[in-house]
Amino acid sequence: MDQQLLPSLPKSRTEPDGSAVIRALSYNIRSLRDDEEALARVIRACAPDLVFVQEAPRFFRWRKHAARLAAKTDLVVLGGGATAAGPLLLCSLRAFVERTEDVLLPRTPGLHRRGFATAVVRFGAARVGVISAHLSLDAAERRAQAELLLERLGSLGAPHAIAAADVNEGPGGPAFGMLAAALQDCREAAPWGGGPTFPPAAPERRIDAVFASRGVEVLACGVPAGLAGVSGADLLAASDHLPVLAALRLPAAP
């Protein structure tokens, strides 16, 4: 895939007033069925504080696979995995973890079970609730799950919120539109890097996204093709989706 050198992305830091600049990465990793070393190189180059994984391993020794990916990327497992039906959260050691919860969603007969990996974490004096999600392939179920995601995000009780998902539809769809109406679509708020995320060789659809609550300042967001250390070959080898990276400023809690 063609790449151009990207403008520099704000680095993670904690400000004197307790606010924090963080990097959040959303990535559908297709159950680690592709090149795991390429995937690890992409994640490390993005230097994320939070990774919102979709399609984490869910079966035999899934915890071992999640821990191995975390170790290869200098991160730790925050929550999720098979107990959330696939969504997984990883974080850097900057994060102070208040609590985590894995949520299984109502199951529609004949369709894949879905869930949310959720947590409340602090960076400096900023508290944020986070959810990683992978919404249904069925349009009606997908819309219902988007509504449940917003309800769950509101119930976390944190002043700020970040949700990242493989939405399985683009910005013109009703589920994506519901999320973008209630939250900031970070790519629209501060475009940076690429837009479409699927398929990776010739991306046409923006079905993966990072969303943030209104109080969060979005500094930049997009597919990190062209970021230093992120090669086109690794992006193609790592997964059947492209990742989305966002730089966000979280105000300190009052």
Side-chain angles (χ1 to χ4, degrees), residues 32 75 86 90 103 135 139 148 156 163 167 202 219 223 236 253:
L32 294 177
L75 301 167
L90 307 177
V103 179
L135 302 190
L148 290 172
L156 293 177
V167 187
L219 304 175
V223 174
L236 290 176

Side-chain angles (χ1 to χ4, degrees), residues 107-199:
R107 186 172 196 164
T108 301
L111 297 179
H112 176 65
R113 188 69 180 265
R114 304 283 174 171
F116 301 147
T118 82
V120 176
V121 299
R122 294 205 312 262
F123 295 94
R127 293 179 67 243
V128 60
V130 299
I131 293 181
S132 179
H134 186 186
L135 302 190
S136 177
L137 290 168
D138 178 81
E141 187 180 51
R142 186 164 60 241
R143 194 177 191 284
Q145 289 171 353
E147 187 172 354
L148 290 172
L149 188 156
L150 292 173
E151 290 177 3
R152 178 64 59 167
L153 208 58
S155 74
L156 293 177
H160 309 301
I162 304 168
D166 174 352
V167 187
N168 265 322
E169 69 179 30
F176 199 117
M178 181 188 299
L179 296 173
L183 304 165
Q184 299 181 82
D185 174 357
C186 294
R187 168 67 186 174
E188 285 294 310
W192 170 91
T197 61
F198 185 85

Side-chain angles (χ1 to χ4, degrees), residues 78 91-99 120-124 126-128:
L78 178 54
C91 67
S92 72
L93 294 179
R94 289 187 67 211
F96 178 88
V97 182
E98 289 192 7
R99 66 181 188 274
V120 176
V121 299
R122 294 205 312 262
F123 295 94
R127 293 179 67 243
V128 60

